[in-house]
Amino acid sequence: MSYLVLARKYRPRNFTEMVGQDHVVQALSNALTTQRLHHAYLFTGTRGVGKTTVSRILAKSLNCQGVDGLGGITATPCGVCQACTDIDSGRFVDYTELDAASNRGVDEVQALLEQAVYKPVQGRFKVFMIDEVHMLTNTAFNAMLKTLEEPPEYLKFVLATTDPQKVPVTVLSRCLQFNLRPMAPETIREHLTKVLEVEQVSSEVQALRLLARAARGSMRDALSLTDQAIAFGSGQLQEALVRQMLGSVDRSYVFRLIEALALGDGKTVVETAEALRLNGLSAASTLEEMSTVLQRMAVVQALAQAGGTSTASVTNDDSDPEAADTARLAALMPADETQLLYSICLHGRGDLGLAPDEYAALTMVLLRLLAFKPKGVVASTVPDKAYAPPAEKKTLISSTLTLAAAAAAPAPVSSAAKPAVLQPWEDAPVASITPPVVAAGTMVSTVAPRPALAPRMASDVPPGQVLPVRSGTGPAESAPNCEQNTAPARMEYAQAATEIVAIPVHTQMESRADAVAGAAAPVLLPTEEGDFWHATVQQLIQNEAITAMVRELALQSQLVARDTDQWILRLERESLNQPATRDRLTNALQAAGFAVKLAVEIGRVVDSPGRRNAAAAAQRQLGAEKIIFDDPFVQSMMRDFGAKIVPGSIKPL
């Protein structure tokens, strides 16, 4: 008796048996019901998601004859007629499957297309199914383009591929494309439960969870792994045996590692990593399982924070025995550390292959989080592993003691001192500060709460005005001792504190025009000859009489003197003083009506057409930037939200 594997035995025979591809099933069912049929279909997706299965069901729907032999095109093939049974068994003459991985040449495609001229023999339609179509050569694709675009009315093309990026755009545009998605682990687990009930195989829920996760979205892989697990467990699916078969890491190790990392217990982390090495468990699988648990922890923390409920109540899932442990760890570890550890685990998987020993690399990845832990978090020394809330980050012990002492002994405030609203440009009055005594030789300073200042616009403050600002607390080490707790000493200390903390208020950033005004710029000293020479050069450039190097010579030169038959030019760059360039500029001037010869000298240039053009362009740029910087909306955005103008983004019109 031959055994039929589960992947083939439980292959769907119609659309109602399809699992996890509702979007494709709905589209094809509606098209078959209304008979709005395309001539070419392209099914894409990873391995084992049902591309070939959908193709066969579509072929049966097109050729089904019904139980009585009088049926037509239908979305629910009967499965008992001659066409349905022949397609299921692979001997239907009008349904042709071509494996493009082994028949990728133009000759094989031409042999297939030669059959397109003949009408169907048994069925209603001829169906050509080309699997792994991306493996065809460019010549083969080109050979089928015309037939694929305008096939006979009785011919349907069905293409399947796992890599649609390799399919030419000319083919994609001729097909109706459907993307079959990878299936969720919950969907795979539910389907495996139904299959095992039919097969009468006992199974544990956790074993099915492991198989569903190991399938990675492929139902065929899930059924194949189930076959292997049944054989490995002698007809039973137990979690321990399935975990051993897959090489998966027990979640107890993962929970122990995350707990130790949350408590800062480096010793437990190292011991657990060593236990993984001794048991021969995969380091990559450990990091993968940790990433899964951390992702669930992050979801629990986000839901608990958003709903204001405890993390224990968020994952109240009786069907998942790991939900309670996940919620417990989510409450133990801060959300930012959860995100950090998740990122470290993801990047650590890529580093395992670079290390000489993967377990040493695993240990380094696990210890990496401890290096980023706050200094206030120490290893837990509670014997029973009691879970206490983690220490708050960025908490200074000295500041906590100071605030606690200040709250215990508040400073007396004189009833005569009335809080007044200060204007930003007025000096703050010196308040009497009475530091409370905490212990002998210890002083903690407090200041009465300052009334809120009336909001004022930055434009109301005189420019350059220094505003007095009073600090909330004075330095503890500068306060007088308790033996010197006298009124003159307190007044002197308060006056000193007020003078020290006075700072200028910066209303808004400087404008671009003010910043550029003081910058060094090329020297430009306009001259009378410069006006004439600038107008002449601009006319030549406008008439396109001078170009390239000749134009550069004219722009960078200064007209020093001119006579009736000779002009003297001055240059700073000797490389521009070439005989050919000078002769071409002379010819251009003569063509413009200036019958002169040019003499060129080397020296300092202070007035040239190029400098004048640069100065004019800079002035236009400053004008444009001044308009933007002086805009009230821009100023409010810069002042209130710290906005900045992107350099180079302002261009004059």
Side-chain angles (χ1 to χ4, degrees):
M1 177 179 179
S2 61
Y3 173 72
L4 191 62
V5 298
L6 297 179
R8 296 181 58 188
K9 183 177 180 180
Y10 292 95
R11 169 175 279 180
R13 300 291 191 268
N14 50 59
F15 287 126
T16 59
E17 297 179 3
M18 287 289 298
V19 177
Q21 307 297 343
D22 296 338
H23 61 293
V24 177
V25 171
Q26 180 178 354
L28 293 178
S29 298
N30 293 339
L32 291 167
T33 302
T34 59
Q35 295 193 9
R36 298 176 64 91
L37 301 175
H38 203 272
H39 61 270
Y41 297 88
L42 175 64
F43 298 118
T44 65
T46 185
R47 74 280 178 271
V49 294
K51 299 184 295 296
T52 305
T53 300
V54 172
S55 172
R56 294 182 180 179
I57 296 176
L58 180 60
K60 289 194 295 183
S61 299
L62 293 173
N63 294 286
C64 180
Q65 301 171 358
V67 180
D68 54 359
L70 301 177
I73 299 175
T74 177
T76 56
C78 65
V80 296
C81 66
Q82 186 69 25
C84 291
T85 55
D86 287 349
I87 292 176
D88 287 335
S89 59
R91 59 174 182 268
F92 190 64
V93 67
D94 293 323
Y95 178 72
T96 304
E97 286 190 6
L98 177 67
D99 179 20
S102 56
N103 301 278
R104 57 193 308 265
V106 64
D107 295 335
E108 290 83 356
V109 173
Q110 285 181 346
L112 177 67
L113 296 179
E114 287 175 358
Q115 305 176 20
V117 298
Y118 303 105
K119 290 188 175 182
V121 178
Q122 293 180 336
R124 197 175 293 109
F125 291 94
K126 271 182 172 292
V127 180
F128 289 167
M129 194 276 177
I130 305 179
D131 199 7
E132 300 299 337
V133 68
H134 67 274
M135 299 292 290
L136 292 178
T137 62
N138 290 332
T139 309
F141 275 122
N142 294 333
M144 64 182 294
L145 283 180
K146 189 59 179 177
T147 307
L148 184 63
E149 182 178 7
E150 297 178 356
E153 60 180 7
Y154 52 80
L155 178 61
K156 302 295 181 184
F157 279 95
V158 179
L159 312 180
T161 177
T162 57
D163 195 357
Q165 287 78 15
K166 294 183 180 180
V167 179
V169 180
T170 52
V171 175
L172 295 176
S173 64
R174 288 166 167 82
C175 301
L176 202 62
Q177 184 173 348
F178 294 93
N179 182 25
L180 280 73
R181 305 163 186 164
M183 302 177 196
E186 292 77 11
T187 304
I188 296 177
R189 179 173 60 84
E190 293 175 359
H191 186 68
L192 291 181
T193 302
K194 297 177 182 178
V195 170
L196 293 177
E197 288 178 356
V198 177
E199 291 290 320
Q200 298 181 353
V201 176
S202 61
S203 61
E204 296 181 358
V205 177
Q206 282 301 106
L208 296 182
R209 291 181 186 274
L210 292 174
L211 293 173
R213 285 200 299 262
R216 300 186 183 277
S218 172
M219 185 63 73
R220 182 176 60 213
D221 290 359
L223 292 172
S224 299
L225 288 174
T226 304
D227 257 331
Q228 183 180 353
I230 293 174
F232 188 80
S234 299
Q236 294 182 352
L237 289 180
Q238 299 179 0
E239 179 187 0
L241 296 177
V242 172
R243 194 179 296 277
Q244 182 181 357
M245 181 195 76
L246 297 176
S248 302
V249 178
D250 191 353
R251 284 286 176 91
S252 61
Y253 290 103
V254 175
F255 292 144
R256 191 187 313 167
L257 285 172
I258 297 178
E259 174 188 348
L261 291 172
L263 299 175
D265 190 357
K267 180 181 178 182
T268 303
V269 172
V270 175
E271 291 176 351
T272 307
E274 183 66 17
L276 292 172
R277 185 186 67 83
L278 294 177
N279 293 329
L281 299 177
S282 171
S285 178
T286 302
L287 294 178
E288 181 179 355
E289 293 291 335
M290 287 187 65
S291 301
T292 303
V293 174
L294 289 168
Q295 183 267 337
R296 296 183 61 190
M297 288 171 54
V299 173
V300 170
Q301 291 169 348
L303 293 178
Q305 184 178 5
T309 59
S310 62
T311 54
S313 61
V314 176
T315 56
N316 190 12
D317 187 5
D318 297 334
S319 63
D320 187 2
E322 298 174 352
D325 292 330
T326 303
R328 177 174 56 84
L329 292 176
L332 184 65
M333 179 176 288
D336 54 351
E337 289 188 17
T338 303
Q339 297 290 338
L340 176 61
L341 185 56
Y342 179 78
S343 179
I344 289 176
C345 291
L346 288 184
H347 290 85
R349 290 183 62 189
D351 297 340
L352 293 179
L354 303 178
D357 182 7
E358 67 172 1
Y359 294 101
L362 174 63
T363 305
M364 290 299 297
V365 170
L366 296 176
L367 294 179
R368 195 169 297 163
L369 178 65
L370 299 180
F372 294 97
K373 266 191 167 299
K375 294 183 179 179
V377 179
V378 295
S380 175
T381 57
V382 182
D384 57 353
K385 301 292 183 182
Y387 294 95
E392 189 69 23
K393 283 195 170 184
K394 301 179 182 177
T395 301
L396 300 178
I397 299 176
S398 59
S399 299
T400 306
L401 295 178
T402 301
L403 295 176
V413 181
S414 175
S415 60
K418 272 189 178 178
V421 179
L422 302 178
Q423 299 299 333
W425 51 82
E426 294 178 355
D427 292 336
V430 178
S432 177
I433 303 175
T434 304
V437 178
V438 178
T442 305
M443 189 64 59
V444 179
S445 63
T446 59
V447 178
R450 182 180 178 180
L453 296 179
R456 296 185 60 86
M457 299 297 292
S459 58
D460 298 336
V461 181
Q465 186 78 24
V466 177
L467 303 183
V469 179
R470 188 168 54 186
S471 175
T473 57
E477 64 275 12
S478 301
N481 293 332
C482 60
E483 293 81 6
Q484 302 172 352
N485 190 7
T486 60
R490 293 196 303 269
M491 184 62 68
E492 181 181 355
Y493 168 70
Q495 181 66 29
T498 304
E499 293 175 355
I500 289 174
V501 299
I503 60 174
V505 175
H506 184 63
T507 57
Q508 68 178 38
M509 63 182 297
E510 296 178 348
S511 66
R512 177 67 177 169
D514 298 335
V516 177
V523 179
L524 176 61
L525 300 178
T527 61
E528 183 179 353
E529 298 295 340
D531 296 337
F532 170 76
W533 180 238
H534 178 264
T536 303
V537 172
Q538 290 299 112
Q539 186 65 31
L540 293 176
I541 294 176
Q542 184 177 359
N543 297 335
E544 297 182 357
I546 54 176
T547 57
M549 293 298 294
V550 181
R551 179 183 57 191
E552 195 68 19
L553 171 61
L555 288 173
Q556 301 301 328
S557 61
Q558 176 182 351
L559 181 60
V560 179
R562 53 180 173 144
D563 202 349
T564 56
D565 57 348
Q566 185 178 10
W567 291 359
I568 301 178
L569 300 179
R570 181 179 298 169
L571 280 173
E572 288 184 348
R573 298 166 54 185
E574 190 174 359
S575 59
L576 294 175
N577 186 20
Q578 301 295 331
T581 307
R582 190 170 58 249
D583 292 343
R584 292 173 61 184
L585 180 57
T586 302
N587 296 334
L589 290 172
Q590 292 178 354
F594 302 100
V596 295
K597 294 183 179 180
L598 296 179
V600 179
E601 63 180 21
I602 305 300
R604 183 168 177 265
V605 175
V606 295
D607 184 15
S608 65
R611 292 184 181 234
R612 290 187 175 227
N613 293 341
Q619 191 64 29
R620 291 195 303 272
Q621 179 68 23
L622 291 178
E625 294 181 357
K626 187 176 185 303
I627 294 174
I628 298 299
F629 276 95
D630 292 346
D631 185 86
F633 175 74
V634 176
Q635 288 187 350
S636 64
M637 294 294 291
M638 295 168 63
R639 178 180 61 253
D640 299 337
F641 302 102
K644 296 181 179 179
I645 303 295
V646 178
S649 61
I650 302 176
K651 300 295 182 183
L653 297 178

